[in-house]
Amino acid sequence: MSAPAPSSVSSELAARLATIVGEARVLARAGELRSYESDGLPGYQLRPALAVFPGTREETIDVVRALADSGTPFVARGAGTGLSGGSLADGTVLLGLHRLRRIISIDGDNQRAVVEPGVVNASLTRAAAPFGLHYAPDPSSQTACTIGGNVAENAGGPHCLKYGVTLNHILALTVLLPSGEIVALGNGAGEDEGYDLLGAFIGSEGCFGVVLDVTVHLARNPSAVRTLLADFTSVNAAAHAVSAIIASGIVAAALEMMDAPSIQAVEASIYAAGYPMDAAAILLIELDGATAGIDDDVAQVVAACRAEGAREVRVATDPADRARLWQGRKKAFGAMGRISSHLVVQDAVVPRTRLPEVLAQIQQIGERHGVRVCNVFHAGDGNIHPNIGYNASDAGESARVHAAMSEIMAACIAAGGTITGEHGVGLDKLAYMDALFTPATLGAMCALRDVFDPMHRANPGKVVPVHSCREWHGAASSRAARESR
Amino acid sequence: MSDTRSESVAARVREARETRTALRIIGAGQWLHAGAPCTAERALGLRDDGGVVAYEPGDLVLTVRAGTSLAEIDRVTRAEGQWLALDPHGTNDGTIGATIATASAGPLASAFGTPRDHVLGCTVVTGAGDVVQAGGRVVKNVAGFDLVRLVTGAWGTLGIITEVTVRLRAVPQRELTLVAAISTDGELEAAWRWVRASEVAPMAAELVSPRLATRLGMGATQALVLRFGGNAALVDAGVRSAATLGRCTDVDMRVWSGLRASEPADGFVARASCLPSEVVPLWRAVASEAERAGGFAHATLGRGVVRCVVPLDEATTNASNGAAGEAPARFAGMIRGTIDAPPRTTWIVERGVGRDWPTPPHDAARRALSARVRAAFDPDDILNPGILIT
């Protein structure tokens, strides 16, 4: 029962939306919509029929109800920093939520905050700082991305290794279903009972509804932090050091790897962090917690790196030094953007013990297709981000990049991994869903989507391939027909 | 990868579906009176469907069949210096499948989270008889909609969990358990402040009522039990910090298994939860009531959760009001909100004996969503019908 996507939005609907949010907050001209044709992954460009930007909770509710009344599909969007093409609207309505940026309350005693979906990730942490608290999930785009987008994608980040992903930090949501109904999920003041619809909603990539407010858990700032930079002459040695650290039982706050091309791109940019230019790979390792015992853990990690052949391990305790080491990592994709006109960033996860072998395979795949693969990633989670800079106007090069990426994904699946650890499926990973999941599993996902959005109006065509849902609905109705006989 | 054992469960579900026979899904069978009364006619036991499917210690990930006991998981993982940091109530004979299905958590949840934070993937047989592979075997995964969270805590009503992949942790280099007697209101306030603010966070901090302290051999006063883990310097610092609470005594680690096993096989068990800042008044109201009714209470202070246990005899004797899962009358009143408990308390009844169970305070839209989820995954209402009130 998918609603057909209208090729355009009726003038009546456009006028109704304008009365809700004001003329200036409804964009319909091609030139105005250009900024909304892509997200952080420039390989996809799709133009919405119209973009609407409510400024308050009430306006958002009225807009979604107007869309429901007219049966119009829509795509919610935060800051548009996503890396899966998930927030692109193809001839439908784009619902921008970045103006809903009120921090409603911060309860320092109970380590929680209630925020609107358009609040920028890093601003929440800034607002929590006077309480000695921070919001733990820290995607690399944290200075721009919104909490609403983080909830939709179940966003991660370097520090998720120790602190967990978005799912582990959300206590409650108020959700506006695509039908316009409002529902409270989770419990911001105690335990929750019944089906974990909060958990099901987080990471649903805008297919289940729109978030009106988010109750988050805030983590206490650690009293001691150490950031280590370990320098290796081979990627393989660095990957083995990762395994050794994990096996030691020390839970690093973050454990990141960058390979030579990534290091060189960063060091040639304004984000230069002082990484060794001749290293084949570096590990950026952060340990945090109580002051007592932390230096014993540092010593153990340093020893593990040296045992795997690290040339040097630098330990930074000064906040300015630590920030500089991190800047290079967090801005790595930006630094690579200087080198090529387009950059495709992949996101996959493999079992941590398989990292050395999968990284070697990725290297070979890149060589075979004549593309240069760089690796900057969350090694401690086995969450890799192979990325390739290229020129999208060169059709031959684009085809080679695409072929290499498909092989890399196949290698990750074959190693027992998954096709996305934190960027989401969106449009970009749709083609891999059949390789990863059985038809029955995809059918169950379709059934779950139907619960929240039976008309498939919210972010249509994303996450689960449309054909799986058709097959599922086909099978379910033939089953029903068989049983009714 | 073909999983013949899950397929055989699926065949049994399809057969039950054809004959409209409701199934009672059973792990070790230790908690048959947990959850609201279930009206199923036929038992489907999973205890014999146990064993390790895959274990790569270097990945800190373990895949087991759902019938595997927690004791077996403990044995297998400790041999590699690892553990599953979950301590649900009951004994280690309980199965991992039941632990995930009921989302049962114990004192360790304050440091390591509840089952939803540990499960990476599971195989589930839905009420339609489909074998669904939810999640995966890696520690980070956002591929598709989150069916893992959906079935965790669903009490088997959306599907029968047949295989589970969990995240493991390395066993701490050192562990230590301390008990501090908490005799006065001032000491209770100080204990609460310490738990909220201590630089060295314990792995567990559980407040126990006098009757429970007695049972656990820790003297007859209310006490705070602390579990520290980490490297030697960190544990030492924790011990020094805890000394500010008054006289602390080292106790055997077995106090934690004693706590888990302290609950009678039959009885009334409910959890009251609130904002952590409000847990002290909640504790005062609820723990004294549990003791008066012949039972006991314990609280995970950092999570704001108080667990009340009243053995069956006392529960039934006191249940003259016959309500809210046959709680002792005053608990039933608190759950219904007719007797003063601190405001903004959430009550979850885990076990009881009666049929009048409290309804969760969800809005109409959430109740409708829950009903639709149930209808989508168990269209004929044959999986543990009645056990979970949504």
Side-chain angles (χ1 to χ4, degrees), chain A residues 214-236:
Chain A
V214 187
T215 306
V216 303
H217 171 261
L218 299 170
R220 273 162 58 184
N221 295 345
S223 38
V225 186
R226 305 282 185 270
T227 306
L228 285 67
L229 178 72
D231 159 1
F232 293 86
T233 52
S234 83
V235 169
N236 196 45

Side-chain angles (χ1 to χ4, degrees), chain B residues 324-338:
Chain B
E326 299 293 327
R330 281 185 54 91
F331 275 123
M334 285 185 190
I335 293 167
R336 280 196 247 100
T338 54

Side-chain angles (χ1 to χ4, degrees), chain B residues 23-34:
Chain B
L23 300 172
R24 176 73 169 97
I25 305 144
I26 298 174
Q30 298 190 112
W31 296 79
L32 292 178
H33 297 293

Side-chain angles (χ1 to χ4, degrees), chain B residues 31 38 59 66 71 134 136 171 198 206 258 339 342 345 357 375 390:
Chain B
W31 296 79
C38 176
D59 291 328
V171 172
S198 167
E206 197 79 357
I339 295 180
T345 300
W357 275 62
T390 58

Side-chain angles (χ1 to χ4, degrees), chain A residues 269-476:
Chain A
S269 77
I270 55 164
Y271 310 117
Y275 299 154
M277 287 287 279
D278 60 341
I282 56 167
L283 292 181
L284 199 57
I285 308 157
E286 191 150 281
L287 299 175
D288 71 6
T291 309
I294 194 167
D295 289 321
D296 295 350
D297 283 354
V298 168
Q300 212 181 326
V301 169
V302 169
C305 289
R306 289 205 183 280
E308 297 296 341
R311 286 191 299 192
E312 193 199 346
V313 187
R314 235 191 282 163
V315 181
T317 50
D318 176 70
D321 291 345
R322 293 200 306 101
R324 185 157 175 256
L325 287 179
W326 270 113
Q327 172 175 273
R329 165 63 187 90
K330 293 226 168 178
K331 301 293 186 187
F333 294 134
M336 285 174 220
R338 287 176 64 250
I339 298 169
S340 312
S341 60
H342 291 78
L343 181 74
V344 52
V345 181
Q346 197 51 280
D347 170 41
V349 188
V350 295
R352 294 173 276 202
T353 50
R354 308 289 293 272
L355 270 177
E357 134 198 16
V358 171
L359 289 172
Q361 276 178 289
I362 289 173
Q363 180 70 29
Q364 289 157 11
I365 292 168
E367 283 164 12
R368 203 174 330 116
H369 291 277
V371 295
R372 192 186 201 207
V373 187
C374 305
N375 288 291
V376 183
F377 64 98
H378 313 306
D381 289 316
N383 185 186
I384 60 175
H385 290 321
N387 57 87
I388 304 176
Y390 69 110
N391 178 0
S393 59
D394 178 338
E397 191 182 14
S398 297
R400 282 186 283 122
V401 169
H402 184 77
M405 280 303 183
S406 298
E407 280 186 39
I408 288 171
M409 294 308 274
C412 292
I413 294 173
T418 190
I419 58 170
T420 171
E422 55 182 13
H423 294 174
V425 176
L427 281 176
D428 192 47
K429 304 290 176 68
L430 263 181
Y432 307 115
M433 289 292 278
D434 285 317
L436 189 63
F437 293 112
T438 61
T441 305
L442 293 171
M445 290 181 190
C446 296
L448 182 58
R449 174 191 226 149
D450 283 354
V451 165
F452 286 88
D453 181 21
M455 302 305 290
H456 296 185
R457 286 175 37 250
N459 214 359
K462 308 280 173 61
V463 185
V464 181
V466 172
H467 66 85
S468 316
C469 291
R470 272 205 209 102
E471 281 157 22
W472 172 256
H473 288 297

